[in-house]
Amino acid sequence: MRQLKGRNRCNRAVRHLKIQGKMWLKNLKSGLEQIRESQVRGTRKNFLHDGSFHEAVAPVLAVAQCFCLMPVCGISAPTYRGLSFNRRSWRFWYSSLYLCSTSVDLAFSIRRVAHSVLDVRSVEPIVFHVSILIASWQFLNLAQLWPGLMRHWAAVERRLPGYTCCLQRARPARRLKLVAFVLLVVSLMEHLLSIISVVYYDFCPRRSDPVESYLLGASAQLFEVFPYSNWLAWLGKIQNVLLTFGWSYMDIFLMMLGMGLSEMLARLNRSLEQQVRQPMPEAYWTWSRTLYRSIVELIREVDDAVSGIMLISFGSNLYFICLQLLKSINTMPSSAHAVYFYFSLLFLLSRSTAVLLFVSAINDQAREPLRLLRLVPLKGYHPEVFRFAAELASDQVALTGLKFFNVTRKLFLAMAGTVATYELVLIQFHEDKKTWDCSPFNLD
Amino acid sequence: MKILPKLERKLRRLKKRVTRTSLFRKLDLVHESARKKAFQESCETYKNQIENEYEIRNSLPKLSRSDKEAFLSDGSFHQAVGRVLLVAEFFAMMPVKGVTGKHPSDLSFSWRNIRTCFSLLFIASSLANFGLSLFKVLNNPISFNSIKPIIFRGSVLLVLIVALNLARQWPQLMMYWHTVEKDLPQYKTQLTKWKMGHTISMVMLLGMMLSFAEHILSMVSAINYASFCNRTADPIQNYFLRTNDEIFFVTSYSTTLALWGKFQNVFSTFIWNYMDLFVMIVSIGLASKFRQLNDDLRNFKGMNMAPSYWSERRIQYRNICILCDKMDDAISLITMVSFSNNLYFICVQLLRSLNTMPSVAHAVYFYFSLIFLIGRTLAVSLYSSSVHDESRLTLRYLRCVPKESWCPEVKRFTEEVISDEVALTGMKFFHLTRKLVLSVAGTIVTYELVLIQFHEDNDLWDCDQSYYS
């Protein structure tokens, strides 16, 4: 009896094991199939661009999301329809957390500045923090508007004249990605250089370990209140990296928008250029005028959404250029410092110029149809052409900085003049000794 | 020979009898009586109406219980601005009668009114105060800083005189405003009607609260400072000696004079704040009228509308432009004074921010007043530039007119909007647009940088110096 019972138990266990094994195998199989399905070999279709802005800008937004900006869901979706904004998504909480930690960091920086002498240079961390805090807040608001904006954008894009070949269709997206990639890499390089210049040529090490000493210097505003601890130092460093990225990202994002909008106008211009010398029917002009109008409406809508970021970006660039130029008078303590300094100055200058040029390209492209309309022959000169020309002549189409200034090419000279004026005044109050002093060690 | 006329008469009578049958005669009678009745009725209704109106006007009890109607806004500027002007009247500005009335025809100005007398009296007393401070400043070395009381009192005096002049024109202006408003596309909901009045009262309330807080803080800091300098044993006397130093520079201390000085000070501070608020409120009103028109245009954006619609809108737009010009003529001096004053005071305050503060109370007062000043200046510039922004917005809707309904009237409207520069101005020297904000900020920075070079710290928190305005 006992043996029988034992055998029964044995059989039952074996059967149980068998069933379990089968189920496990089945699961494994289905899992493998799922993986295989998702890992299909890319076909030609996957690599073809549909020429939409949504598709082109998706990787740039994805990078931004790694750094807690633009918490909008569904950026990797194939069309704009997948976009959504959800307050309960982790992205939203992630960027809210970032906003909170930036505010805390700002409070510590204000505390630090308030304890030292107040002048143009010492308020640098405050300006830096405040501008990024406001910009991140604006990005959060923009994320809310982004799905609607993209819907409008796609609606306008659909009406535009098509590309002739797929290579041409891919070009704007490729150009956009290239610019964003180059800028991101250069800003990463700048950050690495700043770390190198500080870590290897540390004149007044505050701690024996060079890394710890660097971390202490990087978030000095925290360690004036708290005693040194490693985890806090790393948190401070992460915050610093995020801030530095956010600061560059403002400009990159504006460049992307400028490129996208000017590309739309350029597409219209290309089609106009082909047709303008022949007498076209009136319906063609109605079509092109309403198309131009809808692009301008889109530009206005985008402008309403991003003009705050524009103002902050231009203002902070102006301030930092003044500051860096002022610092350039100082003697550099080492060649590593000099390399970092001139590299970052050059980067700042070229980035500000690039933003201005890319964004003002919208204005240039919007003026272009007027030149083309002057070529319309007498036979094709309809009242619609007259109306189109009158509208073009009187409108100023450009992105603005909170409606205070239009971003056109003329702004470049105005800004250069402003920088020169302030620089000349600031030089008169300048004293050399402060910047490379050990006590207030400035780090950007 | 005599028979002929008789015959004629007979013939005529016969004819009449033939044409006028008894039925006709009856109808005539009925008609006549109906006409009389109708006339009498219309007379009576008219009489009743007049009587009713008279009764309502007379019997409107002073302390009646208000019903819902009393709180419903009709969206007119006159009604929205009523309480604002009432506050101003209390502070001896804008002596117009009937500002809280329902209809702008109730407004009136007369020289013999008690408000006007009060205002004139206050102008005289300000003039005396201004003379005293001029005397004091001229007897001391003059610098950028030391002329602050003259600029303060001088601008307040100027604004008072301009406001008195404005009060004379106010009834006509409001009547014109009323006719323009009546003509505009009407508001659809009570909420939209209520919005402008609400914004105006909120701006007024916030501005008043902040200026009141600033005044209290200034008193605290002055008391603190007075006790620090301590010229006499009496703390109250110390305080008055400090705040009204221009009076006691000439005469010896007396309580009546001190109280007069304090009264003058409170009123001047109010008027100084009020001129900014007034410019803001007028521009909110004008901008909301443009918005009212734009809202209607937005509702019909891209639709095929009849030419009559466009001509109607164009005339309405023109009316608002004329209104804007009229208001601008009336208040441009106030705008000018307000802007130049703000520019000067921001420069002075920024320059003073370099000094070391003698106490915490001073620091709190100083930074509060600096932030308040900058915020107020920014608010004035932004609100007044909103008139220009709203007037340009019309163009956006006109651009979307479809080809089918494009007519000479739309073209004319578009060209008018493009070529006109509709904005409040500072005595026609500058238009108040958003671009002005940047140029004002640039000017402040430039002057500041120059002024800093001539700046010395020592002379500001001295006990002998006046620092208080």
Side-chain angles (χ1 to χ4, degrees):
Chain A
M1 278 301 282
R2 201 178 284 168
Q3 271 183 348
L4 210 73
K5 256 188 189 171
R7 202 175 293 161
N8 269 352
R9 202 183 288 160
C10 221
N11 280 346
R12 233 178 289 146
V14 167
R15 221 179 298 145
H16 187 74
L17 259 178
K18 266 186 187 170
I19 292 166
Q20 288 284 318
K22 265 182 197 166
M23 276 169 74
W24 185 72
L25 269 175
K26 209 186 262 174
N27 277 344
L28 195 70
K29 228 180 223 176
S30 66
L32 269 173
E33 261 164 27
Q34 265 181 8
I35 288 170
R36 216 169 278 158
E37 264 169 32
S38 63
Q39 299 270 316
V40 275
R41 196 176 154 159
T43 54
R44 183 161 173 271
K45 218 173 174 185
N46 294 54
F47 292 98
L48 277 183
H49 288 273
D50 60 354
S52 71
F53 181 72
H54 166 73
E55 194 193 51
V57 88
V60 185
L61 290 187
V63 173
Q65 290 197 345
C66 299
F67 292 93
C68 321
L69 297 168
M70 283 294 284
V72 60
C73 304
I75 41 171
S76 57
T79 61
Y80 66 90
R81 284 196 194 85
L83 285 171
S84 65
F85 176 80
N86 191 358
R87 267 177 209 287
R88 268 171 295 177
S89 70
W90 60 270
R91 293 181 172 95
F92 178 77
W93 289 109
Y94 188 41
S95 54
S96 314
L97 189 71
Y98 171 62
L99 274 177
C100 294
S101 78
T102 311
S103 329
V104 172
D105 205 24
L106 171 66
F108 282 118
S109 322
I110 288 176
R111 189 195 160 277
R112 182 167 189 233
V113 171
H115 280 246
S116 65
V117 191
L118 217 68
D119 70 0
V120 184
R121 257 168 302 166
S122 64
V123 294
E124 182 188 338
I126 297 184
V127 173
F128 185 66
H129 277 85
V130 166
S131 61
I132 290 166
L133 188 65
I134 298 172
S136 331
W137 174 249
Q138 296 270 358
F139 270 118
L140 195 66
N141 283 338
L142 181 62
Q144 220 161 347
L145 301 174
W146 193 254
L149 212 58
M150 280 297 107
R151 199 177 312 128
H152 190 177
W153 197 305
V156 177
E157 239 165 17
R158 237 175 290 135
R159 294 180 56 198
L160 282 172
Y163 290 107
T164 46
C165 63
C166 62
L167 207 66
Q168 210 179 24
R169 191 160 52 206
R171 189 176 294 154
R174 207 173 290 154
R175 188 160 154 253
L176 198 140
K177 280 173 199 162
L178 182 73
V179 170
F181 179 72
V182 167
L183 279 167
L184 285 175
V185 168
V186 175
S187 81
L188 189 69
M189 256 169 75
E190 194 225 359
H191 198 73
L192 289 180
L193 269 179
S194 91
I195 293 175
I196 290 169
S197 79
V198 177
V199 171
Y200 284 92
Y201 299 90
D202 203 349
F203 285 96
C204 28
R206 275 163 279 194
R207 295 181 78 84
S208 54
D209 186 22
V211 176
E212 279 185 10
S213 175
Y214 166 71
L215 290 176
L216 183 71
S219 36
Q221 75 271 19
L222 291 179
F223 298 117
E224 280 189 355
V225 186
F226 304 113
Y228 182 81
S229 69
N230 260 324
W231 64 272
L232 195 61
W234 281 108
L235 274 185
K237 183 61 207 162
I238 290 170
Q239 175 76 30
N240 191 344
V241 170
L242 287 180
L243 287 178
T244 316
F245 173 79
W247 184 52
S248 310
Y249 187 76
M250 264 194 285
D251 290 353
I252 295 172
F253 182 74
L254 291 176
M255 273 185 234
M256 301 299 102
L257 281 181
M259 284 164 92
L261 288 172
S262 57
E263 172 59 25
M264 288 172 110
L265 287 164
R267 269 166 85 175
L268 175 65
N269 289 343
R270 274 199 291 274
S271 118
L272 275 179
E273 194 148 23
Q274 283 165 5
Q275 316 289 350
V276 86
R277 278 159 223 273
Q278 304 113 296
M280 295 300 283
E282 193 161 15
Y284 173 75
W285 290 114
T286 312
W287 171 80
S288 50
R289 190 181 57 75
T290 46
L291 184 56
Y292 180 81
R293 188 50 45 200
S294 59
I295 298 175
V296 170
E297 288 284 303
L298 176 68
I299 291 175
R300 294 263 157 79
E301 200 183 322
V302 171
D303 182 45
D304 288 341
V306 302
S307 58
I309 300 175
M310 186 79 77
L311 184 72
I312 289 163
S313 152
F314 275 77
S316 73
N317 280 345
L318 193 68
Y319 171 78
F320 280 105
I321 288 174
C322 277
L323 196 75
Q324 293 289 82
L325 281 179
L326 195 65
K327 277 187 190 169
S328 72
I329 303 172
N330 299 332
T331 47
M332 298 288 154
S334 77
S335 55
H337 275 101
V339 168
Y340 162 63
F341 180 80
Y342 284 108
F343 184 79
S344 81
L345 179 60
L346 210 64
F347 176 54
L348 185 63
L349 282 174
S350 50
R351 204 183 60 195
S352 320
T353 316
V355 175
L356 209 145
L357 290 182
F358 277 121
V359 176
S360 68
I362 297 172
N363 183 251
D364 296 345
Q365 291 289 355
R367 305 288 299 170
E368 185 70 9
L370 189 59
R371 190 181 66 79
L372 296 171
L373 283 187
R374 304 293 190 218
L375 305 173
V376 173
L378 180 64
K379 218 189 268 177
Y381 199 75
H382 303 289
E384 272 298 293
V385 184
F386 181 74
R387 186 182 166 191
F388 194 9
E391 286 186 1
L392 281 168
S394 60
D395 278 12
Q396 174 88 289
V397 180
L399 288 187
T400 63
L402 218 55
K403 313 265 189 287
F404 287 131
F405 55 86
N406 289 330
V407 183
T408 62
R409 278 191 177 239
K410 279 173 194 151
L411 187 70
F412 182 75
L413 278 192
M415 276 183 80
T418 314
V419 168
T421 313
Y422 289 158
E423 208 50 48
L424 286 176
V425 178
L426 284 174
I427 285 173
Q428 312 205 1
F429 299 104
H430 182 65
E431 288 149 26
D432 194 356
K433 61 182 185 210
K434 219 167 161 187
T435 324
W436 301 115
D437 196 9
C438 274
S439 47
F441 206 81
N442 280 337
L443 261 184
D444 171 14
Chain B
M1 287 304 283
K2 275 187 178 177
I3 304 165
L4 266 172
K6 271 187 183 172
L7 260 175
E8 248 185 51
R9 242 174 269 154
K10 270 189 180 173
L11 263 171
R12 237 181 250 162
R13 246 176 245 163
L14 260 173
K15 261 186 192 169
K16 263 188 188 171
R17 258 181 214 168
V18 170
T19 50
R20 279 198 167 188
T21 55
S22 59
L23 187 71
F24 269 105
R25 251 176 286 155
K26 266 183 190 168
L27 268 177
D28 271 1
L29 274 176
V30 167
H31 178 72
E32 187 71 10
S33 65
R35 208 167 60 82
K36 268 184 187 167
K37 221 179 185 178
F39 181 70
Q40 219 158 19
E41 263 176 21
S42 69
C43 271
E44 247 162 48
T45 48
Y46 181 69
K47 209 174 121 195
N48 281 342
Q49 210 179 326
I50 296 245
E51 269 176 4
N52 272 340
E53 266 183 26
Y54 186 74
E55 258 175 37
I56 285 169
R57 211 174 264 189
N58 268 1
S59 71
L60 202 66
K62 291 281 182 277
L63 286 169
S64 75
R65 196 178 156 154
S66 301
D67 50 356
K68 194 181 160 205
E69 295 299 316
F71 291 99
L72 285 184
S73 151
D74 59 353
S76 71
F77 182 70
H78 167 70
Q79 209 179 47
V81 89
R83 265 174 294 174
V84 176
L85 291 186
L86 198 67
V87 176
E89 271 175 14
F90 183 70
F91 285 96
M93 276 177 97
M94 294 288 294
V96 195
K97 203 179 162 195
V99 283
T100 49
K102 271 270 176 207
H103 198 265
S105 56
D106 298 341
L107 287 169
S108 65
F109 173 84
S110 96
W111 286 105
R112 271 167 296 177
N113 196 330
I114 183 141
R115 303 156 220 249
T116 321
C117 297
F118 180 42
S119 183
L120 285 172
L121 199 69
F122 185 70
I123 288 177
S125 113
S126 307
L127 198 63
N129 204 348
F130 177 65
L132 284 172
S133 29
L134 196 65
F135 180 72
K136 188 187 174 204
V137 170
L138 290 182
N139 275 329
N140 283 319
I142 292 177
S143 76
F144 185 71
N145 248 314
S146 67
I147 56 169
K148 196 173 160 186
I150 302 188
I151 295 216
F152 179 70
R153 302 227 155 81
S155 56
V156 165
L157 193 61
L158 197 62
V159 166
L160 273 172
I161 293 165
V162 175
L164 189 63
N165 200 22
L166 179 64
R168 284 169 59 199
Q169 304 168 17
W170 195 254
Q172 286 112 0
L173 275 176
M174 280 296 107
M175 273 317 280
Y176 186 74
W177 199 303
H178 179 69
T179 52
V180 171
E181 261 170 358
K182 220 169 44 186
D183 203 35
L184 278 175
Q186 289 308 307
Y187 287 121
K188 293 286 185 299
T189 60
Q190 192 58 43
L191 192 73
T192 43
K193 278 183 192 171
W194 166 82
K195 211 171 166 191
M196 175 182 71
H198 179 70
T199 316
I200 286 178
S201 38
M202 277 298 115
V203 165
M204 188 67 188
L205 188 69
L206 197 67
M208 288 289 94
M209 296 292 265
L210 284 175
S211 77
F212 186 65
E214 197 222 357
H215 197 74
I216 297 276
L217 278 177
S218 90
M219 277 167 69
V220 169
S221 84
I223 289 169
N224 209 342
Y225 197 63
S227 65
F228 165 70
C229 279
N230 229 3
R231 287 187 204 165
T232 54
D234 186 10
I236 297 171
Q237 191 176 340
N238 272 335
Y239 170 71
F240 283 130
L241 275 176
R242 185 112 287 278
T243 52
N244 306 317
D245 49 359
E246 79 280 352
I247 302 171
F248 302 120
F249 185 69
V250 185
T251 62
S252 57
Y253 182 79
S254 82
T255 318
T256 341
L257 274 179
L259 284 178
W260 172 66
K262 185 66 207 160
F263 163 81
Q264 190 71 37
N265 192 331
V266 171
F267 271 54
S268 302
T269 314
F270 170 80
I271 289 163
W272 186 59
N273 282 306
Y274 186 79
M275 62 186 173
D276 282 1
L277 291 178
F278 187 70
V279 173
M280 268 191 248
I281 282 160
V282 168
S283 29
I284 290 171
L286 284 171
S288 84
K289 290 305 126 191
F290 274 116
R291 197 171 303 129
Q292 200 174 339
L293 184 64
N294 284 337
D295 281 346
D296 186 68
L297 286 174
R298 195 181 56 217
N299 287 341
F300 297 105
K301 180 182 170 188
M303 290 187 199
N304 284 321
M305 301 305 285
S308 62
Y309 172 83
W310 292 113
S311 69
E312 200 183 317
R313 293 291 167 271
R314 189 182 60 75
I315 291 165
Q316 286 165 358
Y317 186 83
R318 186 55 33 208
N319 283 339
I320 306 177
C321 289
I322 294 168
L323 177 68
C324 191
D325 271 355
K326 277 192 178 178
M327 283 316 283
D328 183 43
D329 286 341
I331 69 161
S332 66
L333 193 61
I334 296 182
T335 319
M336 180 78 188
V337 171
S338 139
F339 265 79
S340 44
N341 232 314
N342 284 339
L343 195 66
Y344 171 77
F345 276 97
I346 288 178
C347 277
V348 171
Q349 293 285 78
L350 278 180
L351 198 62
R352 282 189 184 184
S353 73
L354 297 175
N355 300 330
T356 47
M357 299 285 154
S359 73
V360 181
H362 273 93
V364 169
Y365 163 61
F366 181 80
Y367 284 108
F368 183 81
S369 80
L370 179 62
I371 290 168
F372 176 54
L373 188 62
I374 291 176
R376 208 182 57 193
T377 312
L378 214 58
V380 175
S381 346
L382 289 181
Y383 271 122
S384 52
S385 66
S386 72
V387 177
H388 181 251
D389 290 348
E390 284 292 337
S391 79
R392 304 295 298 175
L393 198 62
T394 312
L395 196 59
R396 249 171 103 168
Y397 302 125
L398 285 176
R399 292 299 191 208
C400 299
V401 176
K403 186 193 155 215
E404 290 76 28
S405 60
W406 179 258
C407 54
E409 200 55 38
V410 185
K411 198 177 157 200
R412 184 178 167 194
F413 193 1
T414 315
E415 274 162 12
E416 284 183 7
V417 176
I418 289 170
S419 54
D420 284 10
E421 176 96 25
V422 184
L424 289 180
T425 64
M427 280 179 82
K428 316 280 179 210
F429 289 132
F430 53 87
H431 286 279
L432 299 179
T433 60
R434 278 183 96 99
K435 298 215 166 100
L436 185 80
V437 180
L438 270 198
S439 62
V440 166
T443 314
I444 288 173
V445 174
T446 313
Y447 289 163
E448 207 49 49
L449 287 174
V450 176
L451 284 172
I452 285 172
Q453 312 205 2
F454 300 103
H455 181 65
E456 287 152 24
D457 195 355
N458 53 8
D459 66 337
L460 288 174
W461 302 117
D462 196 358
C463 273
D464 302 329
Q465 283 285 327
S466 126
Y467 74 98
Y468 187 83
S469 65

